[in-house]
Amino acid sequence: MRRWFVVVSYLAAAISGIEVGSATPQDALKIGVVIPMTGAFAAVGREVAAGAKLYIQQHGDTVAGQKIELIIRDDAGVPDNGKRLAQELIVKDRVSFLGAGTTATAMAMAPLSTEGKVATVVMVSGTSVVTERSPYYVRTSFTLGQQSGIIADWAIQNGSKKAVAIVTDWTPGTEASKVFEQHFIKGGGQVLDTLRVPLANPDFAPFLQRARDLRPDTLFVFVPAGQAGTLARQFAERGLDKSGIKLVGTGDIVDDDDLPGTGDTFLGVVTAGFYSAAHASRTNKDYVAAYAKATGHRANFISVGGYDGMHLIYQALEKTGGKIDADTVIEAMKGMKWESPRGPTSIDPRTRDIVQDVYIRKVERVNGEPWAVEFATFEAIKDPLKEPAAE
Ligand code: PHB
């Protein structure tokens, strides 16, 4: 009896031209995120995925009447993998949205997003040019320029005159030092040297020593997520925490993922960043508590890119009534505003890039652990490298 029913159903489906045998319901709307779950950037993949999953857990897996399925693919930090995985997600899995991660992979995936016409949320990359690589790219992460100009101005206003910059030898690092130098020099300061540290398995010690030998009053540093712990250890080993040289940087160097393990090393360090787990809003307190419950550790700046990335997709689907064609979705995302755990956030309708508050924060010990405590706010900061005045 049952077998007959199955045969009849297949026949009926075949006659009416409907595909059968697919494991997922046809109306499941898929979001394919390509991030590094293994390799040197594994901590980045872990946090961005945890942020995205937490959003779905809190808001349910149905939006505008459609069931959502999150697919996470591990690129291991290798751009060619990312390209192949994005291709598979578009062609085989027929995803409606893509999520892009770190800079090199996000760059490699861009032509696929364009040709496949798939709205893609950049959830990690901090490189300015990434959003210009596809008309279907929208960013919920950050740019390094947003942070490094503001910290340069702060340093100048607080008496810095001679700086050395240490940055990762990689596009985000180049942009961080470029914007830092522009602002520091414009403010009357002198940049004695800019030292570039290899991205893979960095040994900061010789660079820290060289910076110290140049006798600056200020050291500006950018290293990407996952490297702050090593930086702190080598900084302390060289005695730089007691050298009198003021350490400043982008938010990455006091990553909440690593900060709890850095002891006293970074106490007093001032950074410009868009997210601190210590951000005092109700939205963030709830986020940090839910994140700790889900993962067992502190939320960091990478995690909010994943959380807000899902929020942007959910909001766009609500606005389009479930329509997923990339042109309609991107139009819906342009100008979108929301209250993120990081603070008030929006998408610049001109550039599809994120506009967010940037805070000056000082590392302080609170309840026994170091936290980046915000003490000044710069509102609605755009990517300076896309603003005509910066060119
Ligand atoms: C990037 O992929 O551009 C990236 C990743 C982690 C960071 C900064 C930039 O901390």
Side-chain angles (χ1 to χ4, degrees):
M1 194 49 204
R2 220 188 121 68
R3 184 175 296 167
W4 270 111
F5 174 74
V6 172
V7 170
V8 170
S9 311
Y10 264 77
L11 279 175
I15 290 162
S16 63
I18 300 166
E19 246 185 73
V20 290
S22 125
T24 38
Q26 283 202 329
D27 59 354
L29 194 152
K30 295 176 188 168
I31 303 168
V33 181
V34 184
I35 44 177
M37 300 304 290
T38 54
F41 273 127
V44 167
R46 185 184 66 222
E47 300 308 304
V48 75
K53 285 181 186 165
L54 177 61
Y55 190 87
I56 298 175
Q57 187 193 316
Q58 289 179 332
H59 297 84
D61 64 356
T62 304
V63 192
Q66 304 212 58
K67 195 113 176 122
I68 300 287
E69 186 188 336
L70 179 68
I71 304 174
I72 290 172
R73 293 278 187 262
D74 176 17
D75 63 40
V78 179
D80 277 351
N81 291 349
K83 209 168 164 179
R84 177 177 49 78
L85 293 167
Q87 173 106 30
E88 279 175 21
L89 285 165
I90 295 170
V91 176
K92 275 174 53 193
D93 298 293
R94 301 194 167 279
V95 293
S96 302
F97 292 88
L98 282 170
T102 45
T103 286
T105 303
M107 298 270 211
M109 283 168 56
L112 296 162
S113 158
T114 308
E115 284 152 30
K117 286 189 182 281
V118 184
T120 303
V121 181
V122 179
M123 300 181 181
V124 180
S125 174
T127 299
S128 175
V129 77
V130 161
T131 44
E132 289 168 10
R133 291 294 167 99
S134 168
Y136 301 125
Y137 267 23
V138 179
R139 174 160 23 217
T140 57
S141 43
F142 54 90
T143 71
L144 275 315
Q146 279 178 323
Q147 305 165 69
S148 47
I150 287 175
I151 196 64
D153 295 346
W154 183 86
I156 290 285
Q157 280 154 20
N158 286 274
S160 293
K161 292 190 171 61
K162 289 181 180 176
V164 170
I166 297 182
V167 296
T168 304
D169 191 8
W170 186 40
T171 331
T174 309
E175 291 186 357
S177 60
K178 178 179 162 182
V179 179
F180 178 82
E181 281 167 25
Q182 277 172 354
H183 281 246
F184 200 77
I185 293 167
K186 199 171 169 204
Q190 196 186 346
V191 178
L192 303 174
D193 206 351
T194 296
L195 312 175
R196 303 187 190 283
V197 186
L199 174 61
N201 305 313
D203 177 9
F204 299 110
F207 298 92
L208 291 168
Q209 187 58 50
R210 165 127 183 79
R212 188 178 189 164
D213 292 346
L214 289 164
R215 301 185 176 277
D217 52 43
T218 303
L219 182 60
F220 167 78
V221 180
F222 158 74
V223 298
Q227 297 188 358
T230 311
L231 174 73
R233 188 169 42 75
Q234 296 189 333
F235 192 80
E237 278 166 10
R238 294 267 135 184
L240 271 135
D241 53 337
K242 305 197 170 61
S243 67
I245 299 171
K246 199 189 289 174
L247 174 62
V248 298
T250 59
D252 313 61
I253 67 167
V254 292
D255 181 352
D256 279 297
D257 220 14
D258 291 313
L259 201 52
T262 58
D264 289 347
T265 302
F266 280 165
L267 292 184
V269 168
V270 177
T271 52
F274 67 93
Y275 181 74
S276 168
H279 181 61
S281 73
R282 179 78 265 154
T283 306
N284 185 53
K285 283 185 177 153
D286 292 346
Y287 177 68
V288 170
Y291 198 87
K293 193 159 174 249
T295 66
H297 59 263
R298 244 194 234 183
N300 75 343
F301 71 103
I302 296 291
S303 74
V304 290
Y307 189 80
D308 285 339
M310 293 309 299
H311 179 75
L312 188 63
I313 292 173
Y314 272 45
Q315 288 301 102
L317 284 170
E318 293 285 2
K319 199 166 156 188
T320 66
K323 284 209 196 81
I324 49 131
D325 78 273
D327 291 296
T328 307
V329 166
I330 297 298
E331 263 329 290
M333 287 177 169
K334 286 180 181 174
M336 211 158 240
K337 286 188 168 58
W338 70 98
E339 173 68 24
S340 157
R342 64 185 102 185
T345 301
S346 69
I347 300 297
D348 185 334
R350 183 175 71 86
T351 61
R352 290 169 277 102
D353 215 333
I354 190 160
V355 182
Q356 57 191 338
D357 289 359
V358 171
Y359 309 88
I360 309 276
R361 311 94 50 86
K362 186 182 206 158
V363 178
E364 288 170 15
R365 195 172 273 285
V366 182
N367 297 328
E369 278 192 359
W371 297 80
V373 179
E374 296 165 356
F375 63 88
T377 305
F378 291 80
E379 287 176 9
I381 300 299
K382 295 184 176 184
D383 173 22
L385 294 174
K386 291 196 187 73
E387 295 307 300
E391 273 141 30

